[in-house]
Amino acid sequence: MGHRIAYNLTVGGYTTPFYDWAQWEHEIDLLAAGGVTAAHLTLGQELVLLRTFLQCGYEEQEILRWLGPPSHQPWLWLNNIQNFGRGTSRTLVEDRARLARKVIERMRDLDIVPILPGFSGTVPPDFTKRWTDTRTVPQGRWFKDVVGPVRPDWLDSTTDAYAAVAEIFYAEQRAAFGTTGMWAVDLVHEGGHTGGTDLGSAARGVQKAMTAADPDATWVMQAWSGNPRRELLDAIDTDRVIVLDITGEHHGEDGFGPAPWAWGILPNYGGRTGLYGDLEAVAALPRRWRGESRLPGLVGMANMAEGTANNPILWDLFNDLTWADEPLDLREWVREWTASRYGAADAQADEAWQILMATAYGPWRHMHQGGLPAETLQALAGVPVDASHVHGAPEFAETLVQVADAMSEALPPYACTDSVIAAVPSLDANQASLLGPRALAYPEGALIPALRALLGAAERLDSPGMRYDLVDVARQVAEDVARTALRLVADAARSGDVKAYDAAARRLLVLIDAQEAVLSTNEHFLLGSWLADAQAWGSDEEEGHYLSMEAKRLLTSWGYEDATVLAEYATRSWAGLVGDYYRSRWALWLDEVRQTLVGGKTQPVDWYARADQWSRAHTVYPDRPSGDPRSAAAAVLDLAIRITENP
C-alpha cells in the first residue's frame, strides 16, 4: 500500500506528551521498522497557535492559558476543549518546539512524513472583539452541546478573516518547522457545526488556505462519527485529500467517492491496556486491496489507536502487512512471532497464544452487552453516591445515550470492555469507562489456561518479550476474574450474609493486590514512569508537579467537573494506579456497603472530588520495576483458580 499511516491525533495526549528525545528516537525507529510512511504529530505545534494569535491582538498569557497542558492539547486541535487547567508556559512551549524540530528531522531522514495539524478555524474566546467584521460560531459543549467541556469557537472558513489568520498560521508553522506536505483538519468533529454556513463552502475555504501555503498539500481527514460528509468531499479537490477510515467500517461500496482513503483499525480508546484486536481480520486485510475484491480509492492503511505502547502482537501483525502480497496464515505467523519474541519455538507458548487468539483477540465487535450500573450513572453525572440510597440519576440516562452516540455511532461498540478493578465501585460494576460493551467476549476464566501455559514456557525461555507478555496476560486474568470475585461479593451482600460478604470482599482486595504486585515487575506498567516523565518537563518543581497532576487527571477523571462523563476513559492497569487509587476506592466502597448490612451510617462518596484530591497529591510512585514476574504471575494464577473453581 502506498500510504501506511500511524496514530490517532490523541496519541500526543494518551502516550507521548512527555516523551524526551531518547523515547522519541526509539519510537521513530519502530515506525520506520514497521514500514510507516506518515504519522500524526502535534508535538510543539502549540508554538504556531501562540505566535498566530499574538498577531491577532491577544496577550501572551491569554493564549498560554487557552492552550492547556501537553497532556490535553490534542483535544484543542480537535476542537473539543479549551482553557484546560492553568494552561502551559512559554518555556514549555519553546522546549517542546525544540524537541519537535528534532523529531521532524529524524522522521524525514527515515522517509516518514509528519502529518501536522492544519488550521481548522479553532480560535480563542472573544475573537470577534480582536478582529471585527467577521463571524465565529460557538460550538457549545463537546458532546452534541449536551454535556462536557465548552468547545472553542469556530472561525467561519468562508470569511476573509479566516483566510488571513490561516495565512499567518501556515507562515508561522513553516518558519518554525518547515512544510511536510500533509495537514490534518477535521471539520465539525464529534458534534461540531458550521452554524448555517454551507459545509462545502467551508471545506473549500480550508483547502484554499492549505494550497495557498503549499500547492502540493494533502488534506488528511478522519472518517468518524458521520464525517467526512459527502457534501464536503463533493465540494473540494479530492486529488489532494486522503480519508482515514478509522475502523474500516465507514466507507461505502465506492469507498469515499473520488477521495483516496486508507483502511484503518482502532485498537483502543484512550490507550487502555486490555488485550484486544481481531487478528484474523487484520491478517486477511490484503484481500481488500489486491485482486478482484480491491476496493475503489483504497490507497493505504492506518493504525488509528488512540494510545500506543500496548498490544504488541497487533501492532506487529498490522505492520507486517506492509510486505504482504496476500492474506497471512495467522497461525503460522503467530508461531514465528512467538519464536522470535521469546528466543525459541515452544509448544506451551504456542498453546497460550492459540487460546488468546480464540478469546481476547477475537472479533472487533461481539454481541455480549452489559447494562450501566446506577452508581456509574451517578458518578458520570457528577452526583455523589450513597451506598444506602443508589438512585442512578435517571434524568441523566438519556443524556448519556447522546454522549455515547457522539463518541461512537455504531453498536455493538468497537472496543473491548475494560477493567472492573478500575471501575467506579458498584456491586454491579462491569466496566470503567462509558464507552465499550460492558461485558467480556469470552468466559471470565478463559485466559487461565493461557497464563498457565505461558508460565510453563517461561521456565525455559526468558526474554523482554516473554516477561512483558507474562505480566500482560496475568494482568488480564486478574481483571477478568475480578468480575467473578465481585459477583461473589454482590451475592453475599444481597443475601445479607455478613460473614460471607467479609470473606468475598477480602478476596477481591487480595486479587487487586496480586495484580499490583505483578504489574510492579515490569517497567512498561508503572504509573511512576508516566509521572516522572511529566515531572521532568517542568522548568521548576512547581511546574513539574502541575504537569504530573494533569497527567494523573487524564488517566482518572480525565478533566475537571465539567468532564465527569469522561471519567476513566483513559484507564490504565499500571502499578501505583491499581494499588493506590483503584484499591482505595474499592476498600472505601466495600466498607460503605458493609455499613448497610450491619445497620451502620453511610456517607455519600463524591468520586470526582476523590479523583481530584488524588491527582493533586504529591505522592511519589516507583518508576523502576521490582519483584519477579514469574512468581507474581504464578500468584495471580493461583488466586484466579481458587476464585473461579472454589467460590
Side-chain angles (χ1 to χ4, degrees):
M1 300 298 286
H3 295 278
R4 297 178 296 279
I5 297 168
Y7 301 156
N8 196 295
L9 265 73
T10 59
V11 168
Y14 289 134
T15 302
T16 63
F18 303 113
Y19 271 18
D20 60 16
W21 169 240
Q23 290 166 301
W24 267 113
E25 189 173 32
H26 177 68
E27 182 72 9
I28 297 166
D29 286 346
L30 290 177
L31 294 178
V36 170
T37 62
H40 284 103
L41 186 71
T42 58
L43 172 70
Q45 300 307 300
E46 63 270 26
L47 176 66
V48 180
L49 292 175
L50 176 62
R51 290 180 173 177
T52 296
F53 291 111
L54 284 176
Q55 296 179 55
C56 297
Y58 287 89
E59 297 295 327
E60 180 172 286
Q61 287 306 311
E62 291 180 283
I63 304 305
L64 293 174
R65 169 78 170 83
W66 180 67
L67 292 172
S71 54
H72 289 76
Q73 284 173 5
W75 294 276
L76 175 64
W77 289 110
L78 290 168
N79 196 44
N80 295 141
I81 64 173
Q82 61 180 340
N83 292 323
F84 191 93
R86 74 179 200 200
T88 188
S89 68
R90 183 63 185 248
T91 299
L92 190 54
V93 169
E94 297 286 357
D95 288 347
R96 280 170 49 86
R98 193 174 301 111
L99 176 60
R101 293 183 187 100
K102 293 182 68 174
V103 168
I104 290 170
E105 181 180 5
R106 178 59 59 86
M107 291 174 75
R108 286 172 170 148
D109 288 344
L110 297 177
D111 294 326
I112 301 169
V113 178
I115 305 172
L116 302 181
F119 184 58
S120 66
T122 297
V123 293
D126 297 326
F127 181 82
T128 54
K129 292 181 179 179
R130 273 80 172 183
W131 199 302
T132 57
D133 298 324
T134 192
R135 177 175 182 267
T136 59
V137 180
Q139 296 296 293
R141 295 191 177 275
W142 182 345
F143 300 109
K144 296 190 175 182
D145 200 17
V146 174
V147 69
V150 174
R151 305 168 65 141
D153 292 347
W154 176 69
L155 175 59
D156 188 336
S157 55
T158 66
T159 63
D160 291 341
Y162 172 87
V165 177
E167 183 178 5
I168 297 170
F169 176 95
Y170 290 118
E172 291 294 347
Q173 193 175 57
R174 182 170 57 251
F177 306 105
T179 57
T180 67
M182 299 183 83
W183 277 304
V185 169
D186 290 293
L187 284 177
V188 295
H189 178 66
E190 290 186 340
H193 62 93
T194 61
T197 296
D198 176 70
L199 181 59
S201 299
R204 282 193 295 271
V206 170
Q207 190 173 57
K208 182 179 179 181
M210 281 186 185
T211 54
D214 180 358
D216 296 324
T218 295
W219 181 354
V220 182
M221 58 182 71
Q222 300 179 100
W224 175 250
S225 195
N227 292 328
R229 300 174 196 172
R230 184 51 66 98
E231 61 264 34
L232 184 153
L233 293 174
D234 288 345
I236 60 177
D237 178 6
T238 52
D239 288 342
R240 306 308 312 170
V241 165
I242 183 168
V243 179
L244 308 183
D245 188 344
I246 286 184
T247 61
E249 298 175 337
H250 296 270
H251 60 276
E253 291 184 0
D254 66 341
F256 290 90
W261 61 285
W263 186 292
I265 62 171
L266 181 59
N268 63 64
Y269 291 125
R272 301 175 202 165
T273 41
L275 302 182
Y276 178 62
D278 191 338
L279 300 184
E280 287 281 3
V282 172
L285 276 177
R287 291 196 187 100
R288 303 292 184 176
W289 56 74
R290 299 188 187 281
E292 295 180 0
S293 58
R294 181 185 179 96
L295 291 166
L298 183 58
V299 298
M301 56 187 193
N303 189 329
M304 299 300 293
E306 290 193 350
T308 63
N310 49 40
N311 277 308
I313 190 171
L314 186 62
W315 283 87
D316 289 348
L317 177 63
F318 192 75
N319 287 340
D320 272 7
L321 297 181
T322 298
W323 297 278
D325 294 324
E326 57 188 25
L328 299 174
D329 181 331
L330 182 60
R331 289 181 178 271
E332 182 59 29
W333 184 91
V334 171
R335 289 191 190 98
E336 293 178 359
W337 182 80
T338 56
S340 173
R341 186 168 176 81
Y342 302 152
D346 186 271
Q348 284 191 292
D350 289 344
E351 177 188 353
W353 278 98
Q354 292 307 311
I355 295 168
L356 293 170
M357 288 164 58
T359 51
Y361 289 103
W364 291 116
R365 300 184 189 275
H366 63 84
M367 298 309 296
H368 301 283
Q369 299 289 302
L372 189 67
E375 294 91 337
T376 302
L377 182 57
Q378 284 182 233
L380 292 172
V383 177
V385 188
D386 191 324
S388 66
H389 179 59
V390 179
H391 53 76
E395 70 283 354
F396 193 64
E398 186 175 341
T399 297
L400 286 189
V401 172
Q402 297 181 57
V403 172
D405 286 346
M407 296 170 80
S408 175
E409 74 280 9
L411 292 173
Y414 186 106
C416 68
T417 192
D418 55 39
S419 172
V420 165
I421 293 171
V424 170
S426 163
L427 295 179
D428 299 312
N430 53 21
Q431 183 170 290
S433 65
L434 174 62
L435 191 58
R438 316 199 77 83
L440 290 172
Y442 51 86
E444 290 164 358
L447 301 194
I448 289 176
L451 179 56
R452 183 187 293 115
L454 204 57
L455 275 164
E459 293 179 2
R460 295 174 295 278
L461 304 173
D462 184 35
S463 70
M466 171 59 81
R467 293 191 291 273
Y468 179 97
D469 291 348
L470 196 58
V471 171
D472 206 18
V473 174
R475 172 203 56 73
Q476 189 69 51
V477 166
E479 288 170 10
D480 294 352
V481 173
R483 296 171 182 270
T484 306
L486 179 59
R487 192 161 53 251
L488 298 174
V489 173
D491 289 346
R494 286 168 178 149
S495 69
D497 188 334
V498 177
K499 182 177 179 181
Y501 176 84
D502 287 344
R506 281 195 301 271
R507 191 157 37 185
L508 175 59
L509 293 177
V510 168
L511 180 61
I512 295 173
D513 291 339
Q515 188 187 53
E516 170 77 5
V518 74
L519 294 170
S520 297
T521 67
N522 191 278
E523 65 270 22
H524 299 287
F525 297 90
L526 303 179
L527 173 66
S529 297
W530 170 256
L531 300 181
D533 288 347
Q535 188 89 24
W537 274 94
S539 58
D540 54 32
E541 184 177 350
E542 194 277 332
E543 184 176 46
H545 172 65
Y546 165 68
L547 296 175
S548 66
M549 176 186 74
E550 300 299 20
K552 287 195 286 185
R553 192 181 304 279
L554 183 69
L555 307 184
T556 52
S557 64
W558 201 95
Y560 288 82
E561 288 176 292
D562 58 356
T564 54
V565 71
L566 288 166
E568 321 304 339
Y569 182 87
T571 179
R572 300 286 195 280
S573 295
W574 285 349
L577 198 56
V578 169
D580 183 14
Y581 183 68
Y582 299 148
R583 190 191 193 282
S584 67
R585 295 202 307 179
W586 275 107
L588 171 64
W589 186 251
L590 291 170
D591 186 62
E592 289 293 311
V593 172
R594 191 180 194 280
Q595 294 304 311
T596 69
L597 301 180
V598 300
K601 182 177 176 58
T602 58
Q603 294 291 330
V605 180
D606 185 333
W607 292 117
Y608 167 74
R610 284 186 61 85
D612 183 63
Q613 182 182 30
W614 181 82
S615 296
R616 294 177 185 276
H618 290 252
T619 308
V620 177
Y621 299 91
D623 61 354
R624 295 290 184 272
S626 61
D628 173 51
R630 286 190 296 177
S631 61
V636 170
L637 176 63
D638 178 66
L639 189 56
I641 291 171
R642 286 191 282 122
I643 290 172
T644 56
E645 295 184 358
N646 301 290

